[in-house]
Structure formats: C-alpha cells, structure tokens
Amino acid sequence: MASVLNTVSSIRLSKLNASRVPTQSNLAPISVSFTRRRLTVRAAETDTNEAVEPQVPDKAPAKNGSSFNQLLGIKGASQETNKWKIRLQLTKPVTWPPLVWGVVCGAAASGNFHWTFEDVAKSIVCMCMSGPFLTGYTQTLNDWYDREIDAINEPYRPIPSGAISENEVITQIWVLLLGGLSCAGILDVWAGHKFPILFYLALGGSFLSYIYSAPPLKLKQNGWIGNFALGASYISLPWWAGQALFGTLTPDIIVLTLLYSIAGLGIAIVNDFKSVEGDRAMGLQSLPVAFGSETAKWICVGAIDITQLSIAGYLLGAGKPYYALALVALIAPQVFFQFKYFLKDPVKYDVKYQASAQPFLVLGLLVTALAMSH
C-alpha cells in the first residue's frame, strides 16, 4: 500500500498542470485498491459468523411459525401480538389433557361414576379445575420464574420477549389460582363432602406448583425431587380429585398412584433435554445436566418402563391377569417409540416421541383404574 501511495504522489506532482480528467483516471486505482481490501476483511468476518450459525435456529422462533402451535403453547409457534392469544399460550393447553385424563381415571377407579347429566357435569367442572385453571396457573407461574432461563434458551417466549407485561402475568396467575380453588370448593358442596377434600387437594397441588418453580425451595433445581413432584402433579393429584369426587380416596390408591408418578418423573425428564444450556447457566441440576444426556436418556426410559411393568406385576398378583396383560401390551409400543425417536435424539424428536408414546401410557392408566374399580 505504501508503494501505491508513493507512486500516486509522484504522479500528482508531475502533472499539477494537467487537466482534471487524467487526474481522476490516476486516482481510480486507489479507490479500487481500498475496496478490494475491505472485501477481503468482510469475507473473513462472514466465515467466522458461519462457524456459529448452526446455534442460531435453536434460539430463534420458526420463520413460518404455526398459529396452532402458538395456541397450544409448544415450540414452532408463531410470534403473536394479540394479548388473549398470548395469555392462552402461557397456560400451555397442550399440557391439559393428562390432567383431564387423570380425572377420568379417578372417576373410573371410584366405581361410582354413572352416565347421568349430574355426574357428567361434575366431572367437567373437575376437569376444568385440573386443566385450564390449575395447570394453567402452574404453567404461567413456571414461565414467570423461568423468565431468566428462557432469556437464554428461548428468548422469543412471551415473558422474556416483552410481549406481555409483568403486571399482566401476575394478574393471570392469581385469576387462574382463585378460579381453580373456587371450582374445588363448589365441587365439595355439590358432592356433599363434610370435609372439603377437593379444596385441600387443590390447595396442596397449588402449593406444590409454587415451591416447584419459586425460590427459595424451587424443587426443580433438583432433577429427582422436582421431576417426581411434577409427575405426581400430573398423575396422582387429578386421579385423587376424580376418585374423591365420586367415591372414597383409599390408601392403596394413594400408594399405587404415587408409584405411577415415577413414570411421570420419566416423562418430565423428556422436557429437560432442550433446556440443558440454560439450566447449567442458572445452576439447575436437571438430570441431563447432572448425569449427562446419554445417561439421562436411559434413566428416563427406565423410570417409565420399569414403573409400568411393576404395576402390571401388582395387578397380576392381585388376581387380575387380563388387566396385567393389557398393560404389558400397551408398554410394548412405548418401548418401540423410545428406540425409534427418543434414544436417537431426545431434543430433535421430543415432540414426535411424546405424541407417539404417551397415548399408550395414558391408556395404561385407564386400564389400571378400571382394574382397581373391580
């Protein structure tokens, strides 16, 4: 470059009286020389950016996000500005069906549910309490206390992105909580309970949801305790509510459903793999963080499969071989989908795995409930 500048200086000094056109012609190469140097630097920067580019899609919303996914509160959602759609997204409707199904199982296990208008109406109110209200409360509360982790893992989610204000989120938490507790109180009166068991179940479940997400306890910081609490919330509590509404909640049912909650622990682990980076940064000891993804995969499927096989063994020992055989038949496709999807890549195939395998698990719950009703 120095030689170029010296050459240009000598040319300009020797042609001071020349016309402007030749001078412009001589200056042109200087402009080209600098432009080429800039292009070289930019090419190097582009190469550097391309080296880290594969990390970007995991942190960004889908370019052609689905409005349906947005309403369900699952990944692949479109960015939304409508506040009511955002509120619904925070409640994650995709997580309601297991709770609703738990109420069905509890009602079936009671042996006292009848297809009358009153019983159907009671069960619908109980499903609304367990699903939209208290699960919606749990999910919104969890997103609120996870806003710093989501800012790392999923910064486009409603709270960290600023799509909904802090006051609006807190208001939603209280409305859903009070709505769920009100439903529980109404059901106790409707069922003629002398002791408000449904209200206390709802209150206990709400408290469990709070300590799961909120400091100082924040149960989710420990992969074992947090995931078991989550599993119990999704399997045991709605079952207990359905059974208490139509019958009597007995100790053997409590033990059996808590055992089934170990399978719920396995299901909860599935959702931990996508959050490893944020969990590690925030000091949360999820099982994929504590044991590594490879080991955690096998802990997950072991908790799901061994629990169900143990319950099948219990049913066989209780003199209900046909129910035990039906449960084993429902475990087999779950194992197949574990090898086909989950064990290959728990992050890439988490949605496919859950959509394929979990229907068989929840059908197994109903089989167990029907076995206990006879």
Side-chain angles (χ1 to χ4, degrees):
M1 180 63 69
S3 62
V4 174
L5 291 175
N6 291 335
T7 303
V8 172
S9 299
S10 61
I11 292 172
R12 293 185 66 183
L13 288 172
S14 62
K15 295 189 177 183
L16 284 174
N17 297 325
S19 63
R20 293 185 178 180
V21 176
T23 305
Q24 290 175 350
S25 177
N26 290 327
L27 287 174
I30 300 173
S31 176
V32 173
S33 176
F34 277 109
T35 304
R36 286 177 180 166
R37 182 65 61 95
R38 287 175 187 157
L39 285 172
T40 302
V41 173
R42 288 176 182 169
E45 289 173 351
T46 304
D47 293 339
T48 303
N49 289 335
E50 286 176 354
V52 297
E53 192 174 0
Q55 298 177 9
V56 174
D58 294 333
K59 303 296 180 75
K63 291 181 179 179
N64 299 315
S66 166
S67 297
F68 183 69
N69 287 12
Q70 187 273 328
L71 291 176
L72 290 179
I74 59 179
K75 67 181 183 181
S78 61
Q79 293 296 93
E80 187 57 65
T81 56
N82 183 293
K83 280 295 172 65
W84 288 105
K85 289 183 178 180
I86 292 171
R87 289 183 182 280
L88 184 62
Q89 181 182 0
L90 284 174
T91 65
K92 292 188 178 68
V94 74
T95 62
W96 301 352
L99 281 294
V100 171
W101 191 255
V103 173
V104 172
C105 292
S110 72
N112 293 323
F113 176 83
H114 302 93
W115 287 102
T116 63
F117 176 81
E118 183 178 10
D119 281 3
V120 170
K122 284 179 182 177
S123 63
I124 290 173
V125 174
C126 192
M127 290 173 186
C128 289
M129 173 194 75
S130 300
F133 280 111
L134 294 182
T135 306
Y137 152 79
T138 299
Q139 295 294 347
T140 307
L141 185 74
N142 187 62
D143 268 24
W144 171 250
Y145 283 107
D146 271 1
R147 60 193 186 276
E148 293 179 357
I149 296 176
D150 286 341
I152 299 171
N153 292 325
E154 300 173 288
Y156 51 86
R157 289 192 57 77
I159 297 176
S161 69
I164 187 169
S165 70
E166 294 184 0
N167 287 336
E168 288 170 326
V169 175
I170 292 170
T171 300
Q172 176 164 319
I173 290 170
W174 278 107
V175 168
L176 293 171
L177 173 61
L178 295 176
L181 294 177
S182 298
C183 285
I186 291 169
L187 286 171
D188 275 322
V189 174
W190 197 349
H193 292 158
K194 293 182 180 179
F195 178 80
I197 184 170
L198 288 167
F199 177 82
Y200 280 107
L201 282 174
L203 189 64
S206 302
F207 177 70
L208 183 62
S209 298
Y210 178 78
I211 62 174
Y212 171 81
S213 299
L217 293 179
K218 198 160 190 169
L219 299 181
K220 66 186 298 180
Q221 288 181 330
N222 182 290
W224 294 108
I225 298 173
N227 285 327
F228 182 77
L230 194 61
S233 298
Y234 272 78
I235 294 177
S236 299
L237 285 172
W239 183 316
W240 295 350
Q243 182 143 356
L245 179 60
F246 294 103
T248 303
L249 187 58
T250 56
D252 60 328
I253 288 293
I254 293 175
V255 172
L256 185 67
T257 51
L258 285 175
L259 178 62
Y260 233 125
S261 297
I262 298 175
L265 178 149
I267 296 170
I269 297 172
V270 174
N271 296 314
D272 289 338
F273 288 91
K274 64 185 178 183
S275 304
V276 168
E277 183 182 346
D279 289 349
R280 186 179 289 116
M282 300 304 296
L284 300 183
Q285 287 297 304
S286 66
L287 295 187
V289 171
F291 293 97
S293 294
E294 194 62 30
T295 302
K297 286 191 300 186
W298 290 100
I299 294 173
C300 176
V301 298
I304 294 171
D305 299 340
I306 293 172
T307 298
Q308 293 179 92
L309 288 171
S310 300
I311 291 173
Y314 170 80
L315 294 178
L316 184 63
K320 301 174 182 180
Y322 295 111
Y323 288 104
L325 185 62
L327 185 55
V328 171
L330 290 169
I331 296 170
Q334 295 177 58
V335 175
F336 171 77
F337 288 118
Q338 285 164 1
F339 280 93
K340 183 177 181 180
Y341 292 127
F342 182 73
L343 291 172
K344 283 185 179 179
D345 191 330
V347 176
K348 182 179 180 180
Y349 296 117
D350 65 332
V351 174
K352 282 186 177 181
Y353 164 67
Q354 293 187 73
S356 302
Q358 283 195 19
F360 296 99
L361 185 142
V362 297
L363 284 174
L365 279 170
L366 183 59
V367 167
T368 305
L370 291 172
M372 299 306 295
S373 69
H374 292 85

